[in-house]
Amino acid sequence: MQNKPDIYIINGPNLNLTGKRQPEIYGTESFSDFIPALQAEFPQVQLHYFQSNVEGELINKLHEAGFSAAGIILNAGAYTHTSVAIGDAVKAIQSPVIEVHMSNVWTREEFRHISYLSGVCRGVIAGFGFGSYRLALLSLLGS
Ligand code: DQA
């Protein structure tokens, strides 16, 4: 049996509350519903889901996955706009990283227009809710 490519979805702070948190922005569905549905839609890959509210744990996961994963889909939440350290971690690893956001950050407050990740990621997808993750996965499959 052939090994499937490992794709990591790494979510940062507050994304564990998706479904309950600001539903007018992030919707009412949770990641515990979405991830199995995405896996069922893409049986040719092995998805790995990780979420943490702790900056260092996100960095540790990037280090752990980043030398073997076929791709990493990263929503660093608010750390996107503040974390030089997560940006450096993305630079340090080898796997392609796609920056994603559920909301269109450029239509929101100005502090959300700054990203320490965009310049070191392969691409950025924002504004499509859970669809941002799906599009990121499609982009990894096409690359
Ligand atoms: C977010 C956008 C960030 O600005 C925010 O801090 C989040 C979620 C998004 O998915 O739209 O926590 O990354």
Side-chain angles (χ1 to χ4, degrees):
M1 200 172 70
Q2 271 197 328
N3 283 343
K4 296 177 181 185
D6 291 306
I7 305 279
Y8 284 73
I9 295 178
I10 300 181
N11 270 349
N14 301 307
L15 288 157
N16 54 312
L17 295 183
T18 305
K20 295 185 192 140
R21 164 201 193 202
Q22 294 182 278
E24 69 287 2
I25 297 177
Y26 301 110
T28 53
E29 198 187 348
S30 68
F31 276 93
S32 52
D33 291 332
F34 171 67
I35 297 293
L38 191 67
Q39 178 66 84
E41 191 183 347
F42 294 95
Q44 68 274 42
V45 301
Q46 181 61 55
L47 291 182
H48 303 266
Y49 180 65
F50 178 79
Q51 188 277 331
S52 177
N53 296 317
V54 179
E55 187 175 15
E57 288 181 0
L58 296 169
I59 293 168
N60 285 344
K61 186 53 76 175
L62 287 166
H63 291 180
E64 184 191 312
F67 293 89
S68 57
I72 298 175
I73 298 168
L74 174 63
N75 184 348
Y79 286 138
T80 305
H81 318 300
T82 62
S83 181
V84 173
I86 295 179
D88 280 353
V90 171
K91 245 189 265 181
I93 62 178
Q94 287 170 356
S95 304
V97 181
I98 313 293
E99 175 185 347
V100 302
H101 300 284
M102 298 184 79
S103 63
N104 180 346
V105 285
W106 296 282
T107 63
R108 300 181 65 192
E109 303 95 321
E110 256 185 46
F111 67 83
R112 295 185 205 276
H113 303 177
I114 293 161
S115 170
Y116 285 92
L117 308 181
S118 303
V120 293
C121 285
R122 175 166 292 186
V124 183
I125 300 171
F128 299 99
F130 286 103
S132 295
Y133 293 82
R134 193 173 172 277
L135 290 169
L137 183 48
L138 283 171
S139 79
L140 286 167
L141 291 175
S143 61

